[in-house]
Amino acid sequence: MRKLISLVLILLTPLMVFAARPKVALVLSGGGARGISQIPIIKELESRGIYPDIVTGTSIGALIGGLYSSGYSALEIEEIVKQEDLSDIIFNLQIEEQNLDRPYSNYDRSLISLSISDHGIGLNNSLLDDSKVEALIKRKLSKVLDIKSFDDLSIPFRCVGTDFVTGEAIVFSTNLYDSLRSSMSLPLVFSPNQLKDGRYVVDGGLADNLPASIAREMGADIIIAIDVNDSVRANATEPYYLETLSGVAKQLIILISMGSVRSEHQLSDYLMIPDTGDISVIDFTSVDEILHVGEAFVSENKALFDQIEEELKGYLPLEKPLAYDERPYLYIDEIQLPTLLKKYEKLFIPFKERVFDEAYIAELSTVLFKLKQRENFKSISYNVADGILAIDVKRYEERILNATIGLSADFSFRNDYLFFDPGVTLTSSYYIKGSKLTGKIRIGSINLLAFEYSYPLDKMLDLSFALEGGFGAYAKDSLISVKNHKPSQGGSISLLTTFTSNFTNKERLDITLKGELTKIDLFSSTPSIWYFGSGISYSSRSNIHSIDLLLQAGFNGNLCYEMKADTALNLDRFILSFKLRAIRGNESLASSYDVDLFSTLAKDRLSAELSYKLFTNKYWNLSIGCFFDLNDCGNTTSLIPFAALSDIVVGPKLSLDIKLLDTIDVSFIAALSNDKKLSIGMYVR
């Protein structure tokens, strides 16, 4: 009998030892950009062989935790936040997509736009568009998007969202993309994420910003929690902190999530609080600085890590989770399309029977972007399960009157030439079975009333008809100089028919027919100028090049035409650009001339510029270069382009370009010509 008992004890000993090993949980808090400081702390734990058995997180902590639980190492997550342009991905403004130039029409780029309907203000329920966030998450987690339970990830995982109706916490354990997107949905910033059961979910930080209790419910014996907000709360006691608007805003965000955090602190065995007091929740441009905050915490708190290591002595190193790279890619056998997309079925044929990798996702994102713009979908997304790619779309409600108010401004100043064109635009659109009727009123240097009807002829070809009436600065005088400027009271009426083909979201071809009647001064006896013609334009954009080609030709009693070519190559720190202009029109009209850096009017111009970026980042760059310009000073009478080029201008040029948000570009330029003319200019567009 004793031998039997001894044998049983020997057999059970390994199981008893295994059961005795404490379960370690890693709990990651929300906090926007501050959450990046958690990565060096995870990296330090890894270096000591401490790999968690459980991961829970909220908001940015959910995103980092989702990546970590899927098999990414802390170093790999660090590389992601460094290489991806997080600021551009997150702060993707909810504005109407900018159209590329087309014949006879320059797009109006709104600095601010706001939609008004009979349901309220704003057709979108957020300030930011989440499409780039979705693309990032799905691109980086493509191998695990179809996992049914988070317990099947490399590390069991949970994240938290907040029911936007009841305020209750929702703990996610399935559907990785929906879970992460829900946990990050800060109200007003990102739209609430709607689940299949109809519930709207917003940022988990409103209900539980440090989900230690969830880790305990999952069986954690040792909880290592990282709170990236507690040091910010401490700053609120400093003099003058709450005397500023920014200080009050920061503290309000902290207080909203503060209720549950204190109790979660008490549940944590090891609480780590990096000093993020000087970091804003939206400061995604300072990734290196935020990582340094985490590294500084590690350096200053070695004893705390030693304590964890001591408690786990005898069990280290813990079992390393399955790496993300070791997982196979998913394979797509079938595409599931909603009724609204059945007519585009051929577009999705190339996506069948393919590996679902990053190249696949990039191609798919391009197609979905085009369809969203073309069909005016409120959103278009997809899910992957059991080899099936299911596309999901949401439309704006057709009964809504969509009226958009846009504010725009063009400002140019150089030498004695001043151009300032602020504008307010009111646009109203109706969508009827794929077709679109738009009315537009613009108030600016040229006041415009326009109506346009567009109809899809094919999957990527649109036909539109437009009627436009304008009043304002049509005369050549509006281009000459601020000193000689005369108020312009011209007017025009025009009819346009346009065929538009969008090859990709950054490549477009337009063919337009136009008839127009213009009078330079409506209140004088000056004769009217009529015009009939057609034009074709092509535009293409990529990370390294831009191409704009335009050719317009017609009659106004004489032959008229305009040729325009703008190309630019962005080769690392060098920028090479070429411009070509050839314009023949009525010499009394401003549209018949081009204006150079030195306020010279020209009908023909050839120019080239080579610049070198001295200092550059994603928001601004300072460059120095040289330019060459050959023009006719507006004196040519020949119809042959470039037959009378005479004025050669060469010289150095210094430029400072600043990008504000996604809609405003500010440029400061200083140039010196070969005849010692100095041009100093500022441009806001």
Side-chain angles (χ1 to χ4, degrees), residues 1-14 16:
M1 185 66 178
R2 287 181 181 176
K3 290 182 179 180
L4 179 61
I5 292 172
S6 299
L7 180 61
V8 171
L9 288 174
I10 291 170
L11 292 172
L12 290 178
T13 296
M16 294 170 65

Side-chain angles (χ1 to χ4, degrees), residues 347-359:
L347 286 178
F348 291 93
I349 291 175
F351 294 101
K352 291 182 180 180
E353 299 179 349
R354 278 183 60 186
V355 172
F356 186 68
D357 55 14
E358 292 200 13

